[in-house]
Amino acid sequence: MEGIRNSALPAAAPHGGVLQAAAVPDRFPYDDDPNFVDPDDVLPEDPFPETLIADAEFPEDPFPEALYADVLFADGAATNAATGTDGRGPRTPRPALPDRVAAATALLRADLSADSAGLIDQTHAYENIKNMLAGQQARLAVTFEARHSQEHAHRVTLTAEDLGKDRSNDRGPGAAEQIALARGESPNRGARLFSTAKALVQMPRTLAALDTGQLNEERAMHIVKETACLSPADRSAVDEELAADTGTFTGAGTRTVIAAARAAATRRGPSSVAQRASHAASERTVSLRPAPDTMTYLTALLPVQQGVAVWAALSRQADALHGAGDPRSRDQIKADTLVECTTGTHAGITGIEINLVMTDRTLLQGDTEPARIPGYGTVPGAWARNLLTHGPGEGGEELKTWIRRLYTAPGTGDLVEMESRRRLFPAPLRRFIQIRDDTCRTPYCDARIRHHDHIIPWHDGGTTTLANGAGLCEPCNHTKELPGWKAQPRPGPRHTIEITTPTGHSYRSTAPPLPGSG
């Protein structure tokens, strides 16, 4: 920043006097010698000719002291404004976070008037800045967790049976969840980011590579994941071996980074890697997520030998049928074979229930207002009408399918209000909450709803109503009950919840729009 500050001083703005005094000595070495002429003292009559820079292009103060002071980019350690803490005398207080963010935003605004090479240079520089900020977020996360854990320990009263337990691995509850909310991420991804941050502080060279832009956050996460099974000492050794901060991975793609980290981890801790591989089989699973155009992604995480075997069987069947003249493509045959072998039926659908939310206009008048299937999302109105008329099978197959039609109120898109005097949500009300909320109502969390929760707890006078009910995934419901967390219904265009964390930060969640919302 020295060059920027000094070059700006000859044209200082009206109230930039403090900045000039701080940046320029009161006297120069040769000011007393009348025979000495400094070339920099010889200026044109107008150092900023109008043809180059019009006066109107400058604000009243083009270099505000609060934005461009040295302390803006100083170390974040606490300082004493009167005496300083580093032995260098008085220090200017560091500007507040909003001021620093505003200044950084102004400094880093893209110059769209640059030539093509300049645009690419800026793109590369901003990518490095993104990576550096990821490293700063990692440091903030670890520091926050440590402080949060310490504060939680002071609040917790241990029982007699707890006193003899090893509590070295205990972590203050809700730290990762608060970090996730602050970053606008789901709790699941927030937990992964937090785990990455904790590992990165044990891998200073990888963290330094983030600071300099030699690694991005995704590749740093892969390095952490591949070394997760190692002891701190072995992880540190891998960090030294890879030496990411020296440019080891310059030009390397993600797969190359993963392969290098995996190889280094295997060399340092072969038994740990083998143990993790044997444990991985216990995490096999099948997941379903929406895809565009009324399709879904069905994903299976399997041990390698099982995955290869399934793929080979599907490929053989596809090759055989395609060779026999089947008009379907090989990919279509693989997909159909997988469904038929799994369900045991030709169409692959039997004995299911579909909740279809739509307006009466879409059903009866051919309106184009889309419908919605909870658990999937928005579907075209014509597709929904066809589902009701012909069922989900192709060619009019007779299938055992129950389709529940739910209508929304004209203009608002709200489902019919329901209320119960019971403490627990009855089945019809749970179903309505499930359909209205679609996924977990914690901000940024898209997990499936597992619990139907009172926003204001029953023991605090909360009612068992649609307005006071929310669908949550299991982890988020447990987090909501932690000390310092609070949830309240709030006015909004649709059902709105405000969640407040122990640090006092608030986040709002609004139910997804239903057909007919206008």
Side-chain angles (χ1 to χ4, degrees):
M1 294 301 299
E2 291 295 327
I4 295 177
R5 184 183 61 217
N6 293 339
S7 64
L9 291 172
H15 52 280
V18 175
L19 179 62
Q20 294 184 53
V24 182
D26 291 334
R27 300 179 64 84
F28 289 98
Y30 301 99
D31 278 356
D32 295 330
D33 185 354
N35 298 319
F36 179 79
V37 179
D38 190 335
D40 291 337
D41 291 337
V42 181
L43 297 174
E45 183 178 352
D46 184 355
F48 298 102
E50 183 178 357
T51 55
L52 295 182
I53 305 177
D55 291 340
E57 294 180 5
F58 284 101
E60 181 182 356
D61 184 354
F63 300 106
E65 177 190 1
L67 297 187
Y68 291 87
D70 284 346
V71 291
L72 176 63
F73 304 99
D75 182 74
T79 59
N80 185 302
T83 62
T85 59
D86 53 7
R88 292 187 293 176
R91 296 285 298 276
T92 304
R94 195 179 193 192
L97 176 62
D99 293 331
R100 303 203 310 271
V101 171
T105 301
L107 285 170
L108 297 176
R109 187 172 292 117
D111 177 12
L112 302 182
S113 64
D115 59 17
S116 296
L119 296 176
I120 294 298
D121 288 340
Q122 291 181 77
T123 301
H124 176 70
Y126 291 166
E127 185 64 26
N128 289 345
I129 291 170
K130 283 168 51 182
N131 299 333
M132 182 273 289
L133 293 176
Q136 297 303 312
Q137 284 184 320
R139 293 179 175 92
L140 289 169
V142 173
T143 304
F144 171 75
E145 190 274 337
R147 190 168 301 165
H148 183 73
S149 181
Q150 185 178 25
E151 293 170 354
H152 174 71
H154 289 311
R155 292 194 302 265
V156 174
T157 301
L158 300 181
T159 61
E161 58 269 22
D162 288 331
L163 293 177
K165 294 181 179 180
D166 178 13
R167 308 185 64 84
S168 59
N169 293 324
D170 280 5
R171 177 170 62 86
E177 290 80 1
Q178 293 183 69
I179 292 167
L181 285 169
R183 293 194 59 171
E185 299 284 3
S186 70
N188 182 271
R189 179 165 172 80
R192 294 202 304 272
L193 290 168
F194 176 69
S195 297
T196 299
K198 292 186 71 175
L200 281 173
V201 299
Q202 301 174 4
M203 306 180 74
R205 304 197 72 165
T206 301
L207 184 56
L210 265 179
D211 290 336
T212 57
Q214 294 169 312
L215 274 181
N216 61 26
E217 187 174 29
E218 179 190 1
R219 289 168 186 159
M221 289 181 72
H222 282 299
I223 292 175
V224 167
K225 183 178 180 181
E226 294 299 329
T227 58
C229 61
L230 301 180
S231 67
D234 285 338
R235 173 177 281 168
S236 179
V238 169
D239 184 48
E240 287 293 332
E241 178 181 338
L242 297 179
D245 61 323
T246 65
T248 303
F249 297 123
T250 300
T254 301
R255 289 187 178 182
T256 302
V257 172
I258 292 173
R262 184 174 300 168
T266 303
R267 285 192 296 270
R268 293 288 176 177
S271 59
S272 299
V273 174
Q275 184 178 4
R276 182 178 67 173
S278 62
H279 173 73
S282 66
E283 299 177 346
R284 59 192 182 277
T285 185
V286 178
S287 60
L288 184 72
R289 55 193 175 93
D293 305 323
T294 66
M295 302 290 282
T296 59
Y297 295 107
L298 178 67
T299 306
L301 178 64
L302 301 170
V304 62
Q305 67 275 16
Q306 294 181 7
V308 171
V310 170
W311 180 258
L314 293 174
S315 297
R316 284 195 301 268
Q317 178 72 353
D319 291 341
L321 293 179
H322 193 73
D326 193 308
R328 295 175 295 176
S329 69
R330 285 183 172 84
D331 287 339
Q332 290 173 339
I333 295 174
K334 289 176 187 176
D336 294 345
T337 301
L338 175 64
V339 172
E340 291 165 9
C341 291
T342 303
T343 62
T345 64
H346 173 64
I349 305 175
T350 180
I352 67 170
E353 176 180 335
I354 297 177
N355 290 313
L356 182 63
V357 185
M358 62 194 309
T359 64
D360 55 354
R361 301 184 303 276
T362 297
L363 176 64
L364 303 176
Q365 301 176 14
D367 194 83
T368 58
E369 176 73 33
R372 200 183 85 184
I373 296 179
Y376 173 80
T378 301
V379 296
W383 186 91
R385 286 192 298 273
N386 185 67
L387 181 68
L388 291 173
T389 305
H390 302 292
E394 296 181 2
E397 297 96 333
E398 188 66 29
L399 302 174
K400 297 179 181 179
T401 304
W402 174 262
I403 300 177
R404 177 181 287 109
R405 289 164 288 182
L406 298 105
Y407 299 105
T408 56
T412 66
D414 291 332
L415 291 170
V416 177
E417 177 71 32
M418 294 186 67
E419 182 174 356
S420 173
R421 295 184 182 275
R422 302 177 185 176
R423 180 181 183 278
L424 300 178
F425 288 92
L429 191 49
R430 289 200 306 271
R431 185 181 300 118
F432 266 70
I433 291 173
Q434 189 100 14
I435 292 168
R436 180 199 65 197
D437 293 348
D438 198 30
T439 61
C440 176
R441 285 296 301 279
T442 297
Y444 314 115
C445 184
D446 294 325
R448 291 179 180 273
I449 293 173
R450 299 297 184 191
H451 293 178
H452 300 84
D453 180 65
H454 290 82
I455 302 172
I456 300 176
W458 172 268
H459 55 75
D460 288 340
T463 56
T464 306
T465 62
L466 192 61
N468 193 46
L472 298 174
C473 68
E474 185 173 355
C476 287
N477 193 26
H478 294 323
T479 299
K480 174 180 173 288
E481 300 301 322
L482 294 174
W485 289 77
K486 183 181 179 181
Q488 290 283 335
R490 293 299 185 201
R494 298 182 298 278
H495 187 260
T496 301
I497 304 171
E498 183 176 75
I499 296 176
T500 305
T501 68
T503 58
H505 293 84
S506 294
Y507 305 88
R508 291 202 173 193
S509 164
T510 303
L514 289 168
S517 297

